[in-house]
Amino acid sequence: MTPLPRPAPQAVLFDRDGTLVVDVPYCADPSLVRPMPTAVPALRLVRAAGLPTGVLTNQSGVGRGLFPMAAAEAVNREIDRLLGPFQVFRMCPHVPDHGCRCRKPRPGMLLDAAAELGVEPEQMAYIGDIGADVEAAEAVGATGIMVPTAATRPEEIRRAPVVRR
């Protein structure tokens, strides 16, 4: 049986590192922020369609004590300056074993973003570069879209329902 086509998304959310900006591990310096080559054209298309955009990002460097929340927020402000405006910007500062509801692949940030935007979770698309991004989207019924990078594991690409390069 052929699956029914999904309706067009009413909002498009993006992972931060490796998707919107070049991944600088544990980046706490706004001067290191560089957009990914595909970010500006992708955002232009989404915004031309009149869709709200957002950013959801795991930032365990805060929880690990590598940098303060203020540094992570400064990086986020620089991303918003370069690529925004974004209607939603959510960040999980917790370490992986914290058990929070927000750290991807858990669905908390997607659910919160949907509520803030006034859309149902299944009306969103979430674009990311690793399996946890796609898993978070699937957990809420959103469309998960994988944009692989050199850091993406081959098995994550194979499991992703939608892959765009």
Side-chain angles (χ1 to χ4, degrees):
M1 177 183 273
T2 304
L4 294 173
R6 293 186 72 118
Q10 299 302 302
V12 180
L13 307 175
F14 296 84
D15 171 55
R16 191 184 97 172
D17 303 316
T19 303
L20 285 179
V21 297
V22 175
D23 187 7
V24 174
Y26 301 112
C27 184
D29 182 350
S31 73
L32 299 178
V33 172
R34 300 287 178 269
M36 291 290 284
T38 56
V40 170
L43 287 163
R44 190 175 297 127
L45 283 172
V46 170
R47 290 179 176 137
L51 300 175
T53 58
V55 180
L56 310 178
T57 181
N58 288 342
Q59 294 300 313
S60 69
V62 174
R64 295 174 198 272
L66 300 177
F67 51 86
M69 180 69 85
E73 290 168 342
V75 169
N76 290 343
R77 281 192 302 277
E78 179 64 2
I79 292 166
D80 198 58
R81 185 185 74 77
L82 291 171
L83 298 171
F86 295 99
Q87 285 70 41
V88 173
F89 214 120
R90 298 270 174 182
M91 177 175 54
C92 172
H94 305 111
V95 296
D97 62 355
H98 184 264
C100 65
R101 69 180 280 282
C102 52
R103 185 173 178 80
K104 297 175 291 179
R106 291 183 193 93
M109 285 193 287
L110 278 89
L111 293 171
D112 292 345
E116 188 170 335
L117 293 170
V119 300
E120 294 299 319
E122 55 274 1
Q123 295 176 309
M124 299 185 307
Y126 183 52
I127 301 171
D129 66 321
I130 62 171
D133 299 322
V134 172
E135 290 171 35
E138 290 174 337
V140 300
T143 300
I145 302 170
M146 170 77 67
V147 286
T149 66
T152 311
R153 297 189 320 251
E155 62 271 15
E156 293 175 326
I157 298 169
R158 284 192 298 276
R159 282 196 308 264
V162 179
V163 177
R164 297 290 182 259
R165 297 185 189 268

